[in-house]
Amino acid sequence: MTAAPLLRLRSLHVEIRNEAGRVHPVRGVSFDLHAGETLGIAGESGSGKSLTLMALLGLLPRGATLRADQMTFDGADLTKIGAAQMRRLMATGIATIFQDPMTCLNPVLKIGSLLEEVYLCHRGGTRKAATARAVEMLERVGIANAADRLGQYPHELSGGLRQRVMIAMALMCEPKLLIADEPTTALDVTVQAGILNLLDQLQRDLGLAIILVSHDLGVIGRLSHRVAVMYGGQIVETGPARSVLQAPQHPYTEALLRCIPGMKVNPQSARLTPIPGQVGVMSGDLSGCQFRDRCRFAQSRCTEADPPLTEIASTWRSRCHFLPDERLVKPEETPA
């Protein structure tokens, strides 16, 4: 018998009202996440991936509203719990690390105070116990001389060490789910690799479920069991990470991979191929495929009807009117 998902999301919609009218940055997003599993969510800025997670955490911006057929975590209905319950849940159930730790760590507090505050707020106990837990977590995330680091301020640490402190802080109260929102964007390549290896090791040691958000499918491929590619506020392709990255079925997934050095989606050319145009604002008439104006395979049907989420395999779906062997490259974009 298959265990129930730790996190279940069904048909999540987010709407934002502003002076220009209504914007729909998240539209009908659904997925499950099981304990010990990593789901990678990929897409360009503006695709809706981070706002999907902010909806889960109850951190939507002012003027934004959500509706969902189902949004549950470990049996709790996230659409019905209050603010106090959500605060407790965000430390003991769901923890989050962000892309720039320098903006998330209070610059006037020492590392020890930052870590101990999380523990005392949600677990209680003595300051001595909180300090011991802080040292334990700093050591677990690979920071040497952990006890000495407690007396340092964030600006005294490198970017990689600050991100490790953020991970330690997120794990202080033993959450079941870790959300990593662009955790390596501000780091250089070697430090980035170290952070990804750390997340992989922590998951295997602690049995964490992880949602990894990134615009880089190369990063997603390092850790994820499954991947969900978002565009225009929708999931346009989802499936096993290895399958999706080796044989993408949606034109947007393929286009993202063509921007990454070393990805074998275009064996005829070693050149990187940028995606023309930019992500549009999700307002007004949203009928048809939202990627059509940037897609080299777009046809009239893409404008006229919303593409279905078509089954490729039992756990693999693609939101496109055409399978890869049915697509025709636009004449003006045919390679020379």
Side-chain angles (χ1 to χ4, degrees), residues 84 86-92 116-124 173:
M86 180 60 78
R87 282 194 296 272
R88 287 195 295 272
L89 182 64
M90 287 176 63
T92 59
E116 291 161 7
E117 181 182 9
V118 174
Y119 188 86
L120 292 172
C121 179
H122 296 284
R123 287 292 177 86
C173 296

Coordinates of all heavy atoms in Angstrom, one line a residue, residues 84 86-92 116-124 173:
A84 N -1.1 31.8 13.8 CA -0.2 31.2 14.9 C 0.2 29.8 14.6 O 1.3 29.4 14.7 CB -1.0 31.3 16.2
M86 N 0.3 28.5 11.6 CA 1.2 28.5 10.4 C 2.7 28.9 10.9 O 3.6 28.3 10.4 CB 0.8 29.5 9.4 CG 1.6 29.6 8.2 SD 1.8 28.0 7.3 CE 0.2 28.0 6.4
R87 N 2.8 29.8 11.8 CA 4.2 30.1 12.3 C 4.8 28.9 13.0 O 6.0 28.6 12.8 CB 4.1 31.3 13.3 CG 3.9 32.6 12.7 CD 4.2 33.7 13.7 NE 3.2 33.7 14.8 CZ 2.1 34.4 14.8 NH1 1.7 35.1 13.7 NH2 1.3 34.4 15.8
R88 N 4.1 28.1 13.8 CA 4.6 26.9 14.4 C 5.0 25.9 13.3 O 6.0 25.3 13.3 CB 3.6 26.3 15.4 CG 3.5 27.1 16.6 CD 2.8 26.3 17.7 NE 1.4 26.0 17.3 CZ 0.4 26.8 17.6 NH1 0.6 27.9 18.3 NH2 -0.8 26.4 17.3
L89 N 4.1 25.8 12.3 CA 4.3 24.8 11.2 C 5.5 25.1 10.4 O 6.3 24.2 10.0 CB 3.1 24.8 10.3 CG 3.1 23.8 9.2 CD1 3.1 22.3 9.7 CD2 1.9 24.0 8.3
M90 N 5.8 26.4 10.2 CA 7.0 26.8 9.4 C 8.3 26.5 10.1 O 9.4 26.7 9.4 CB 6.9 28.3 9.0 CG 5.8 28.6 8.0 SD 5.5 30.3 7.7 CE 7.1 30.8 6.9
A91 N 8.3 26.2 11.3 CA 9.6 25.8 11.9 C 9.7 24.3 12.2 O 10.7 23.7 12.0 CB 9.8 26.6 13.3
T92 N 8.6 23.7 12.7 CA 8.6 22.3 13.1 C 8.1 21.4 12.0 O 8.2 20.2 12.1 CB 7.7 22.2 14.3 OG1 6.3 22.6 14.0 CG2 8.2 23.0 15.5
E116 N 19.6 30.1 18.3 CA 19.0 29.8 19.6 C 17.6 30.3 19.6 O 16.7 29.7 20.2 CB 19.9 30.4 20.7 CG 21.2 29.7 20.8 CD 22.2 30.5 21.6 OE1 21.8 31.6 22.1 OE2 23.4 30.1 21.7
E117 N 17.3 31.5 19.0 CA 16.0 32.1 19.0 C 15.0 31.1 18.4 O 13.9 31.0 18.9 CB 16.0 33.4 18.3 CG 14.7 34.1 18.3 CD 14.7 35.4 17.5 OE1 15.7 35.7 16.8 OE2 13.7 36.1 17.6
V118 N 15.4 30.5 17.3 CA 14.4 29.6 16.6 C 14.1 28.4 17.6 O 12.9 28.0 17.7 CB 15.1 29.0 15.3 CG1 14.2 27.9 14.7 CG2 15.3 30.1 14.3
Y119 N 15.1 27.8 18.2 CA 14.9 26.7 19.1 C 14.0 27.1 20.3 O 13.1 26.4 20.7 CB 16.2 26.1 19.5 CG 16.1 24.8 20.3 CD1 16.1 23.6 19.6 CD2 16.1 24.8 21.7 CE1 16.0 22.4 20.3 CE2 16.0 23.6 22.4 CZ 15.9 22.4 21.7 OH 15.9 21.2 22.4
L120 N 14.4 28.2 21.0 CA 13.6 28.6 22.2 C 12.2 29.0 21.9 O 11.3 28.7 22.6 CB 14.4 29.8 22.8 CG 15.8 29.5 23.4 CD1 16.4 30.7 23.8 CD2 15.6 28.5 24.6
C121 N 12.0 29.6 20.7 CA 10.6 30.0 20.3 C 9.7 28.9 20.1 O 8.5 28.9 20.5 CB 10.7 30.9 19.1 SG 9.1 31.5 18.5
H122 N 10.2 27.8 19.5 CA 9.4 26.7 19.1 C 9.5 25.4 19.9 O 8.6 24.6 19.9 CB 9.6 26.4 17.6 CG 9.3 27.5 16.7 ND1 8.0 27.8 16.3 CD2 10.1 28.4 16.0 CE1 8.0 28.8 15.5 NE2 9.3 29.2 15.3
R123 N 10.6 25.3 20.6 CA 10.8 24.1 21.4 C 10.9 24.4 22.9 O 10.7 23.5 23.8 CB 12.1 23.4 21.0 CG 12.0 22.7 19.7 CD 11.1 21.5 19.8 NE 10.9 20.8 18.5 CZ 11.7 19.8 18.0 NH1 12.8 19.5 18.7 NH2 11.5 19.3 16.9
G124 N 11.2 25.7 23.3 CA 11.3 26.0 24.7 C 12.6 25.4 25.3 O 13.6 25.2 24.5
C173 N 14.6 22.7 14.3 CA 13.4 22.0 15.0 C 12.9 20.8 14.2 O 11.8 20.4 14.3 CB 12.3 23.0 15.1 SG 12.7 24.4 16.2

